[in-house]
Amino acid sequence: MSETEDDGDTFGVGIHVTEAEFQFVVHVPSDIDSGWTDPEEFQRLVEQAVWERLDREATLRRLAADAETGETVTLGRVTLRPDGTVIDAAFRESVVET
């Protein structure tokens, strides 16, 4: 089922752990709205929506303590419209919400 513009698109979000850094990961739906024309822009909007709802420092500190190198830890999902409006956000219990 394709989502309408009013529903937005749902992006899975996570953090990939390497030896040197944390990499923010966005899982893009295959039937993404045509309004998303700039991949860097929607990555930025998704990341912004996540860190507005989660305590970034506390979340990354917890990942540093619990996650293994090479692991991608799923934080949850964010549903956005191409204009950046957040429709919904849901995160796993172990992340630290603001």
Side-chain angles (χ1 to χ4, degrees), residues 62-80:
R62 184 170 191 156
L63 289 174
D66 296 343
E68 300 289 327
T69 298
E71 181 178 3
T72 299
V73 178
T74 300
L75 298 178
R77 61 179 171 71
V78 177
T79 303
L80 296 169

Side-chain angles (χ1 to χ4, degrees), residues 23-97:
Q23 299 169 341
F24 191 84
V25 177
V26 177
H27 300 279
V28 181
S30 60
D31 62 343
I32 192 168
D33 186 292
S34 62
W36 296 103
T37 57
D38 182 352
E40 290 181 18
E41 178 66 8
F42 75 70
Q43 168 93 10
R44 186 190 67 74
L45 288 171
V46 171
E47 188 170 1
Q48 178 182 334
V50 169
W51 296 131
E52 285 175 353
R53 288 158 179 77
L54 298 180
D55 183 323
R56 182 179 185 157
E57 185 177 327
T59 298
L60 296 178
R61 199 173 326 120
R62 184 170 191 156
L63 289 174
D66 296 343
E68 300 289 327
T69 298
E71 181 178 3
T72 299
V73 178
T74 300
L75 298 178
R77 61 179 171 71
V78 177
T79 303
L80 296 169
R81 292 183 184 142
D83 68 2
T85 303
V86 177
I87 305 302
D88 187 37
F91 302 103
R92 34 185 286 187
E93 289 182 25
S94 63
V95 296
V96 183
E97 296 193 41

Side-chain angles (χ1 to χ4, degrees), residues 10-25:
T10 300
F11 300 91
V13 293
I15 301 291
H16 181 72
V17 180
T18 71
E19 285 189 32
E21 64 187 2
F22 294 115
Q23 299 169 341
F24 191 84
V25 177

